[in-house]
Amino acid sequence: MAKRNKTVITCAITGAIHTPTMSDALPYKEDDIAQQAIAAAEAGASVLHLHARNPKDGSVSIDPETFSRFLPRIKQSTDAVINISTGGSLKNTIEERIAPALRFSPEMCSMNMGSMNFSFHPLAGRYDEWKFDWEKDYVANSDTYIFRNTFADIKNAATQLAPHGIKFEHECYDVGHLYNLKFCLDIGLFKAPIFIQFIFGILGGIGPDVDNLIFMKRTADRLFGDDYRWSVLGAGGAQMPLATTASQMGGNVRVGLEDSLFISRGKLAENNAQQVTKIRRIVEDLGCEIASPDEAREMLALKGGDRVEF
Ligand code: KMH
Ligand code: ZN
């Protein structure tokens, strides 16, 4: 039997684009982000995908100063790979969105591979009470936003970030984004091996069906051959089922409160580490091993934790 790859668990600690603070478990203060990130790493996440939030009201912050209040703490307490989001909010420009990655030169950062509808407006009807004033309108109006990632934006971000040797988490929300990525790879914007995060279940992207996962994987095999590594993120209720399927297909997985506030149907997760513990148990029970941070560094060809600027 062929040797199976180890599974890299990424944990996305606190999303900002599409996750209102409607669970008390979702960290938005710097101390809580640091504490939950460290606990997720201890539970088995080898990569930590990080956004920042305004500690006063949980709104998206793309201010590098906010990141500076938790990045060094996480680095001092864990060996995990730090992956800084360049997603910002649906209202930020690409220049604003890449500012934290430019300042801190992490081992990884996200790179969203196409413009799209990215909506969570149906959530607006599900809650009567909101923790913060901005949330209801932001959520309700998300049916008017375009998540902008034009070819020019991608080229601009890739060119400015290139001197930093950062490995991108290429976020692909639909099959067309794989072709966008292929085009960008062919014109030299990115270096192999590339790391693709297949994303399922965002309203505006491809749906969370196993057929679609197989289709995305087959398409990526055809386009990138051996030049890519891959992982799966299912939004909401699709998180654990699709991560389980991906791990059985030889892929890597992403969990975290950014993408689902739940631990099981209708039950809120207590924290990020609980989701990491759950997927780790599933992966190990089904006969795979999880990758350590250094094994993730090798698999993804990262520059090393000693070459970041925080
Ligand atoms: N939460 C994901 C669906 C980013 O950070 O650049 C989107 C995301 C984007 O992770
Ligand atoms: Zn993110």
Side-chain angles (χ1 to χ4, degrees), residues 97 112-118 145-154 171 173-174 176-177 180 204-205:
R97 287 161 46 187
N112 292 277
M113 292 312 301
S115 300
M116 59 189 288
N117 290 337
F118 188 130
Y145 299 143
I146 293 172
F147 186 31
R148 186 187 144 141
N149 300 286
T150 64
F151 283 111
D153 291 335
I154 293 169
E171 306 218 1
Y173 301 77
D174 214 327
H177 294 178
N180 296 351

Side-chain angles (χ1 to χ4, degrees), residues 12 15-19 49-51 83-88 97 109-112 118 147 149 169 171 173 197 199-200 202 233-235 254 258-260:
I17 303 176
H18 60 118
T19 326
H49 170 107
L50 292 162
H51 291 249
N83 169 338
I84 293 181
S85 171
T86 63
R97 287 161 46 187
C109 73
S110 62
M111 180 69 71
N112 292 277
F118 188 130
F147 186 31
N149 300 286
E169 176 193 13
E171 306 218 1
Y173 301 77
Q197 192 68 255
I199 299 181
F200 301 90
I202 296 294
L233 175 179
R254 172 165 147 178
E258 169 168 346
D259 303 312
S260 169

Side-chain angles (χ1 to χ4, degrees), residues 157-173:
T159 310
Q160 290 194 58
L161 290 165
H164 292 266
I166 301 170
K167 181 65 65 177
F168 299 109
E169 176 193 13
H170 292 284
E171 306 218 1
C172 292
Y173 301 77

